[in-house]
Amino acid sequence: MYTRVIAVLCFLLSGASLLRAQAKPTASRTVDLQIGLDYIGGRSDYGQTLKGGGAYATFDLTNHFGGELDFQQADGSLFKVYERTYEVGGRYHRTYGRLEPFVRGSYGRGVFNFPYNEANLAYNLFAVAGGADYNVTRYLSVRGSFEYQHWFSFPPHGLTPEVYTIGVAYHFPGGLRRGEHF
């Protein structure tokens, strides 16, 4: 009798390692990534109208918070003046159907090329931006934004360009985007 009980227990215990009582995650989320290009227009208080281009990447870590990397090259209208910026910062966004308004604060480095290539100097900068992404398809979005920059230590009192951008971005697949119903 004891041998039957021991045999049944051994049989049941040998199969216990094959049983799993944990559920697979149903709401896991990876980083939401998009990379885009934009056209830049604006003005600099150095007396120049700015036109140029840039690139950006957004990576959202949660439903509302993420980060953004930006590169912009804006040429002045006269004398070979340009302003080039490299920025990284945090962003907050909301989703309303296909529309995703956002605000961003970033810190970076700006390079200013003075008239006639007299000097090419770099300055630290802080920028705040606001705008919206509109999801045209699951993989494509368009963007419009406004950015205010403050360049520290630019003579005599800092530089404060205002930049407008219009862009297009590719969203990397990896599940549905926030609020998406395609």
Side-chain angles (χ1 to χ4, degrees):
M1 165 126 164
Y2 291 114
T3 56
R4 283 188 179 171
V5 172
I6 293 174
V8 169
L9 284 175
C10 288
F11 175 73
L12 291 175
L13 291 176
S14 66
S17 65
L18 299 175
L19 301 175
R20 291 191 170 90
Q22 296 180 6
K24 292 182 180 179
T26 59
S28 64
R29 176 184 173 91
T30 59
V31 173
D32 191 21
L33 176 67
Q34 72 176 358
I35 296 178
L37 299 173
D38 49 17
Y39 171 78
I40 298 168
R43 67 174 191 82
S44 172
D45 51 357
Y46 194 74
Q48 298 286 315
T49 300
L50 303 174
K51 295 179 183 175
Y56 63 94
T58 65
F59 49 96
D60 296 326
L61 305 172
T62 69
N63 285 336
H64 301 294
F65 292 99
E68 186 165 333
L69 302 170
D70 280 294
F71 167 78
Q72 297 175 349
Q73 169 81 27
D75 297 321
S77 55
L78 300 171
F79 314 119
K80 299 182 181 178
V81 171
Y82 68 78
E83 297 175 9
R84 180 181 301 148
T85 60
Y86 308 89
E87 302 171 35
V88 62
R91 70 185 218 123
Y92 175 81
H93 63 91
R94 298 290 301 211
T95 301
Y96 301 100
R98 293 178 181 238
L99 185 67
E100 293 184 19
F102 66 89
V103 292
R104 172 177 52 90
S106 59
Y107 186 78
R109 194 81 168 151
V111 177
F112 190 88
N113 192 62
F114 286 87
Y116 303 111
N117 296 323
E118 282 182 36
N120 186 287
L121 301 176
Y123 303 91
N124 292 334
L125 67 91
F126 177 77
V128 292
D133 290 324
Y134 183 79
N135 300 317
V136 178
T137 69
R138 183 175 178 186
Y139 303 106
L140 185 67
S141 65
V142 294
R143 166 181 282 198
S145 70
F146 170 78
E147 181 175 320
Y148 175 82
Q149 301 173 353
H150 179 76
W151 297 37
F152 304 108
S153 303
F154 190 91
H157 305 293
L159 185 67
T160 56
E162 296 175 355
V163 179
Y164 301 90
T165 64
I166 297 173
V168 61
Y170 178 79
H171 178 260
F172 286 88
L176 292 177
R177 298 175 88 170
R178 303 162 306 277
E180 189 173 44
H181 305 288
F182 294 118

